[in-house]
Amino acid sequence: MWPLYAAGFTTAFGAHGIAANLGTYTSHRLESLLVLGGLLALYDGAEVLLKPVFGTLADRIGARPVLLGGLIGFALASAAFVVADNTGLLWLARLGQGAAASAFSPSASALVARLNPQARHGRAFGSYGFYKGLGYTAGPVLGGVVVYAGGLALLFAVMAVLAAAVAAWAAVAVPVVPPLPRTRQTVVDLARRLGQGSFLRPTAALAGAAAALSAGVGFLPVSGAAAGLGPVATGAAISLLAACAAAVQPRAGRALDTGRITTGAGIGTGLLITAAGLFSAMLPGLVGVLLGAVLIGVGTGLITPLGFAALASSTPPERLGQTMGAAELGRELGDAGGPLLVGGVAVAASLTSGYAALAAILASAPLALTRRGT
């Protein structure tokens, strides 16, 4: 399991560590904000398009080869920028990183489910989420230190070495998990399976958690700056959010495995806590920023392992990769949709109204899911 945890850390560290420091590379270039926006969108765009594809491929040929191929591809894409440090290749390197992460992220999730009995899925996904959360938390800080020491090229070099090391570790330690026999599946069969409540309910919850997390990371610093807080204080608040999300996930997983909570009740509680965090962010000053960060982190940390455990328990083992890839697509859409919703409402009304709009959706979600039969 440890190489899989390391793979989760790698994708999170690569996403946030590089994204948080791309501005230092584009700041002195023409139309820098447009260039920065394009570079950020490339990574996520590749994930939205390719995660379901690679998830299906993992079911067809086995999750382990797709995991190893994705990690090696990530290392090669990162190393390519180190070889030729120029803007044009940075676009290709970022696109390659996103495509490679699209391969090894759903494959790692599928292996977490295949290598653990259902009675331990909560713990397994909780631990996986914890180390992924560490990547999100440490990425911007450690990435900034590396860039300060040797520029963006050094950060890409570190990512290349990290991905290559995890690939070698996984090749040695992760056992071969052969693909299971599968019955023929048509497009209609796929649509019917992904249209069932057992898939839609946890995926919708995961998308909501991703939307709140992304909106919190993006807009809580804006609220802090409006209250007169400096970048150190707002940065600490975002780190607190990520740390709370990481710390809660293993505990939520253990509670699920021991029967202290159910997926339906736990996910519903997580949605309400996350909504409370967004409502708290409407409070002025440091109190609103810190309370919002803690509650959003706790709520999303509760939802994530329970959502993936629910998906794993309701999916035929031979279709795990496809299901995890499709669920990751839902998360990516939430990741993009949350900031768009908050930002759009903020332009029309105010930032507090943006928080309220997303909070209202999340607060009503448990009732909607219950009506659909959680």
Side-chain angles (χ1 to χ4, degrees), residues 190-206 307-308 310-312 314-315 319-331 369:
L190 174 62
R192 185 181 295 114
R193 186 167 66 83
L194 298 185
Q196 293 176 347
S198 58
F199 173 81
L200 291 177
R201 288 191 292 270
T203 301
L206 290 169
F308 278 113
L311 288 169
S314 63
T315 300
R319 301 289 181 187
L320 275 171
Q322 187 178 71
T323 295
M324 293 303 175
E328 289 278 4
L329 170 60
R331 289 187 76 194
L369 295 177

Side-chain angles (χ1 to χ4, degrees), residues 212-213 215-217 219-220 223 237-238 240-242 244-245 273-300 355:
L213 191 64
V217 169
F219 289 101
L220 283 178
S223 297
I238 300 307
L240 178 63
L241 187 158
C244 287
I273 293 174
T274 305
L278 289 165
F279 281 124
S280 298
M282 299 168 62
L283 299 173
L286 181 61
V287 172
V289 173
L290 290 180
L291 190 58
V294 170
L295 292 177
I296 292 172
V298 170
T300 56
Y355 290 140

Side-chain angles (χ1 to χ4, degrees), residues 244-264:
C244 287
V248 167
Q249 292 194 52
R251 292 171 172 80
R254 286 195 296 271
L256 176 65
D257 290 342
T258 56
R260 285 178 287 159
I261 59 173
T262 63
T263 53

Side-chain angles (χ1 to χ4, degrees), residues 123-138:
R123 291 181 178 87
F125 280 108
S127 297
Y128 179 74
F130 171 76
Y131 288 102
K132 201 168 185 178
L134 284 184
Y136 287 130
T137 304

Side-chain angles (χ1 to χ4, degrees), residues 34-35 52 58 61 86 104 109-110 135 164 168 170 188 206 208 226 230 270 276 291 326-327 342 353 371:
L34 180 60
V35 172
I61 68 172
N86 64 73
F104 70 79
S109 297
V188 174
L206 290 169
L291 190 58
V342 173
S353 299
R371 284 179 177 176

Side-chain angles (χ1 to χ4, degrees), residues 26-116:
T26 62
S27 59
H28 302 299
R29 287 164 172 78
L30 184 64
E31 298 177 336
S32 60
L33 290 179
L34 180 60
V35 172
L36 177 59
L39 288 169
L40 293 172
L42 267 179
Y43 191 99
D44 292 330
E47 290 192 310
V48 167
L49 293 175
L50 295 177
K51 276 186 174 179
V53 175
F54 282 117
T56 302
L57 181 64
D59 290 333
R60 187 181 301 274
I61 68 172
R64 186 175 180 271
V66 180
L67 172 77
L68 297 178
L71 287 166
I72 293 170
F74 195 93
L76 292 175
S78 303
F81 179 73
V82 180
V83 174
D85 186 356
N86 64 73
T87 306
L89 195 57
L90 179 57
W91 289 86
L92 292 176
R94 197 63 178 158
L95 178 62
Q97 285 182 329
S102 303
F104 70 79
S105 183
S107 301
S109 297
L111 284 167
V112 169
R114 286 287 304 274
L115 293 174
N116 289 275

